[in-house]
């Protein structure tokens, strides 16, 4: 018996967007239909317990150096141009668009999803995504907010993403760096992605759109996870990939709002997405049971996870395809999630960092000025595999804990954050999920125990941490708890955890100098209080 695959329909035809193609259009399909298409197309295989397993080829992370923003009248003075936001001319984009449309015209099959970026209705954006791969369409449908049937009837796209992994860019004709390109045109509200099968490029493109639009509406866009305690209070967790945003927010005792991207409006913290995107490498059922359970469910998409082709059993410890193996799954796969993907404005802000030098304590209490300083600094370590060319952790400063996704000047986001902290009397914390007892390159050094991190976070969020004794860190000036019940006291004093305290002192001062050097570019954009929040050089 031949199985007829679902096609679906569009309320707003592609032709009205100037897109002409002979392809059969599979529009707004659900999870089951898209999985059927992906398997039928040979794009992936089903694991024994149900997930769709795919491989992304040579691109197993974001291709950050291949991303460009069109520089025109719209963006000339609104985008923070530099090494992160690299410009492309309107003429080069026009040539790229012409070639993308020509490629679409020749496709036999296309998948289209109409979705929302943002869960709070008055602050969301309508996004249409056009794919040549069914699993890509499933991925983005899983990650963004899915309109219901009634909403789809009147849906008109505001922004459009065209993602063609088979497309090969021409650097000379298109003004890009390689055959891979991610080109953003805010004037035309169009994003073109070619030459990469890494699906995360789509997700982060929507994040970039909202990071550009929302500050003009006095809404703070954030690269963070968020959850709500039994007391009804929201906590947000800033941090780059690998620092623990997804892991620490997926706490069975708290209600999950989302794991990666949010907005902070006058009334709510709201998730930009309707799904989660978690690192899978060496995932432990014991340490992360909620996330581990998603690897055994139909509807999860696993990228670059090793699978036995005969038994269809997974090996989450095998990094043969990528250190950055990933899983995308609907947010309601995590128990105790917010039905609306929203919560109250935050009572606590946690800034997560993975300190590769073993200098920072596992938790520190920040003043509002220190919070803005560390937010603008965005210190962490790049973790292997999250970007092409990064093969081991290395120290980095990523402004706003998400510089690659922030089109506007960092002071725009920093001032929004400081204003909202002041308005809500929000408590701020810096949490190190990185290494302890020495530099990451030293033998026998390990990451902070997740149980200790959770215990410290719980104490911060329920208020009990404010009742313990604190000391002032001599290098960074923030307050560090001296002793916390259930936590090894040696962890709380990084200097004491090193075999040679003088080696710690030298390393700490080296990190202090890096902070000071990095922050020099922001000094003219912040007030004296924030400047005084800088660490102290000897």
């Amino acid at each position: 018996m031949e199985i007829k695959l679902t096609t679906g329909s569009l309320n707003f035809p592609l032709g009205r967007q100037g897109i002409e193609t002979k392809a059969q259009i599979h529009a707004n399909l659900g999870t089951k239909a898209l999985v059927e298409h992906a398997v039928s197309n040979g794009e992936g295989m089903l694991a024994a317990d149900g997930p769709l397993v795919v491989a992304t080829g040579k691109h197993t992370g974001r291709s950050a150096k291949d991303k460009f923003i069109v520089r025109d009248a719209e963006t000339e003075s609104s985008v923070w141009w530099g090494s992160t936001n690299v410009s492309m001319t309107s003429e080069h984009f026009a040539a790229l668009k012409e070639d993308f449309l020509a490629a679409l015209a020749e496709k036999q099959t296309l998948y289209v999803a109409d979705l929302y970026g943002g869960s709070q209705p008055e602050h969301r954006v309508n996004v249409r995504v056009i794919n040549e791969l069914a699993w890509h369409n499933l991925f983005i449908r899983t990650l963004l907010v899915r309109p219901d049937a009634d909403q789809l009837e009147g849906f008109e796209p505001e922004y459009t993403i065209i993602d063609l992994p088979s497309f090969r860019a021409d650097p000379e004709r298109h003004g890009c760096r390689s055959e891979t390109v991610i080109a953003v045109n805010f004037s035309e509200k169009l994003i073109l992605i070619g030459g990469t099968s890494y699906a995360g490029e789509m997700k982060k493109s929507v994040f970039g759109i909202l990071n550009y639009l929302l500050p003009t509406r006095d809404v703070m866009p954030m690269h963070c996870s968020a959850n709500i305690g039994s007391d009804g209070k929201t906590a947000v967790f800033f941090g780059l990939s690998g620092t623990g945003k997804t892991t620490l927010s997926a706490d069975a005792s708290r209600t999950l709002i989302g794991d990666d991207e949010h907005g902070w409006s006058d009334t709510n913290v709201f998730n930009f997405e309707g799904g989660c995107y978690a690192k899978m490498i060496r995932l432990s059922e014991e340490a992360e049971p909620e996330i581990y359970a998603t690897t055994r469910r139909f509807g999860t998409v696993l990228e670059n996870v090793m699978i036995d082709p005969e038994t269809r059993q997974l090996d989450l410890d095998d990094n043969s395809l990528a250190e950055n193996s990933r899983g995308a799954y609907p947010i309601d796969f995590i128990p105790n999630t917010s039905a609306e993907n929203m919560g109250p404005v935050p009572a606590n802000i946690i800034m997560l960092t993975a300190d590769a030098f073993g200098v920072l304590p596992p938790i520190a209490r920040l003043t509002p000025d220190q919070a803005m300083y560390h937010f603008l600094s965005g210190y962490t370590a790049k973790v292997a595999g999250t970007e092409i060319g990064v093969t081991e952790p290395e120290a980095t400063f990523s402004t706003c804990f998400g510089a690659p996704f922030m089109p506007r000047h960092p002071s725009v986001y920093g001032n929004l954050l400081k204003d909202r902290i002041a308005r809500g009397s929000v408590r701020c914390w810096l949490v190190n999920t990185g290494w302890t007892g020495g530099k990451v390159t030293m033998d026998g050094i390990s990451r902070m125990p997740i149980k200790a991190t959770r215990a410290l976070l719980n104490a911060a969020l329920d208020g009990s941490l404010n009742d313990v004794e604190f000391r002032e860190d001599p290098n960074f000036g923030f307050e560090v708890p001296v002793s916390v019940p259930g936590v090894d006291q040696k962890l709380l004093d990084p200097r004491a955890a090193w075999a040679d305290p003088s080696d710690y002192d030298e390393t700490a001062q080296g990190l202090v100098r890096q902070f000071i050097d990095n922050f020099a570019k922001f000094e003219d954009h912040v007030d004296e209080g924030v400047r005084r929040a800088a660490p102290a050089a000897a």
Side-chain angles (χ1 to χ4, degrees), residues 69-399:
I69 298 175
V70 175
R71 191 166 190 160
D72 57 16
E74 163 71 27
T75 58
E76 177 64 44
S77 60
S78 59
V79 168
W80 185 43
W81 301 107
S83 59
T84 298
N85 296 313
V86 180
S87 66
M88 172 181 280
T89 67
S90 296
E91 291 75 18
H92 279 135
F93 184 85
L96 184 67
K97 178 181 175 182
E98 178 183 349
D99 293 346
F100 258 76
L101 293 180
L104 285 179
E106 297 303 315
K107 293 296 176 188
Q108 299 299 312
T109 304
L110 289 171
Y111 298 89
V112 182
D114 291 330
L115 301 159
Y116 294 134
S119 297
Q120 189 167 354
E122 57 267 42
H123 298 306
R124 68 190 177 200
V125 62
N126 292 6
V127 180
R128 168 166 287 177
V129 185
I130 303 171
N131 301 109
E132 62 180 327
L133 297 178
W135 86 259
H136 268 196
N137 207 242
L138 173 61
F139 172 93
I140 199 62
R141 183 183 181 276
T142 301
L143 265 295
L144 294 188
V145 179
R146 298 166 287 280
D148 60 30
D150 291 340
Q151 291 168 326
L152 280 175
E153 285 185 9
F155 190 98
E156 293 191 10
E158 183 179 359
Y159 279 79
T160 299
I161 298 172
I162 304 174
D163 188 346
L164 303 177
S166 65
F167 186 88
R168 295 294 179 264
D170 179 344
E172 184 175 350
R173 173 169 165 77
H174 301 135
C176 52
R177 188 184 71 101
S178 71
E179 291 186 338
T180 300
V181 65
I182 302 97
V184 181
N185 191 318
F186 285 114
S187 297
E188 295 190 27
K189 299 182 177 181
L190 177 63
I191 298 173
L192 306 175
I193 303 172
T196 172
S197 293
Y198 183 66
E201 299 286 10
M202 293 182 287
K203 162 190 160 69
K204 290 305 184 187
S205 292
V206 177
F207 189 33
I209 291 169
L210 289 164
N211 285 334
Y212 183 75
L213 296 176
L214 293 183
T216 65
R217 307 175 190 174
D218 196 34
V219 176
M220 172 70 185
M222 303 178 291
H223 190 208
C224 71
S225 57
N227 60 26
I228 310 166
S230 58
D231 56 4
K233 294 181 179 179
T234 297
V236 299
F237 302 77
F238 287 104
L240 293 177
S241 175
T243 57
K245 293 193 314 301
T246 299
T247 298
L248 294 173
S249 58
D251 184 331
S253 67
R254 298 177 64 85
T255 300
L256 179 67
I257 301 173
D259 80 322
D260 195 38
E261 303 169 4
H262 293 80
W264 182 351
S265 69
D266 288 341
T267 55
N268 293 99
V269 167
F270 62 97
N271 194 352
F272 289 169
E273 303 182 312
C276 299
Y277 193 37
K279 288 178 73 71
M280 291 290 150
I281 193 66
R282 292 177 287 278
L283 188 68
S284 161
E285 183 174 17
E286 178 183 3
E288 303 174 70
E290 293 84 10
I291 299 173
Y292 185 87
T294 70
T295 67
R296 299 185 173 189
R297 292 194 61 170
F298 179 85
T300 292
V301 181
L302 296 176
E303 296 176 325
N304 302 315
V305 170
M306 291 300 293
I307 180 172
D308 186 307
E310 298 298 326
T311 67
R312 303 296 178 96
Q313 296 295 326
L314 303 174
D315 185 351
L316 299 177
D317 295 329
D318 190 334
N319 66 351
S320 298
L321 290 178
E323 182 71 20
N324 190 38
S325 58
R326 291 273 182 167
Y329 47 87
I331 192 170
D332 59 13
F333 278 16
I334 300 295
N336 197 28
T337 57
S338 166
E340 299 81 20
N341 284 354
M342 292 193 289
V345 296
N348 285 278
I349 287 174
I350 295 94
M351 297 183 187
L352 300 170
T353 180
D355 176 25
F357 293 108
V359 166
L360 297 181
I363 195 165
R365 186 166 60 187
L366 306 177
T367 67
D369 285 331
Q370 288 171 338
M372 185 171 175
Y373 184 93
H374 284 276
F375 178 70
L376 289 176
S377 297
Y379 169 67
T380 187
K382 283 182 182 176
V383 179
T386 55
E387 290 188 15
I388 293 170
V390 180
T391 58
E392 62 181 39
E394 60 182 34
T396 187
F397 292 90
S398 186
T399 305

Side-chain angles (χ1 to χ4, degrees), residues 431-443:
V431 171
N432 175 22
T433 61
W435 289 262
T436 181
K439 301 175 186 177
V440 66
T441 51
M442 294 178 175
D443 292 336

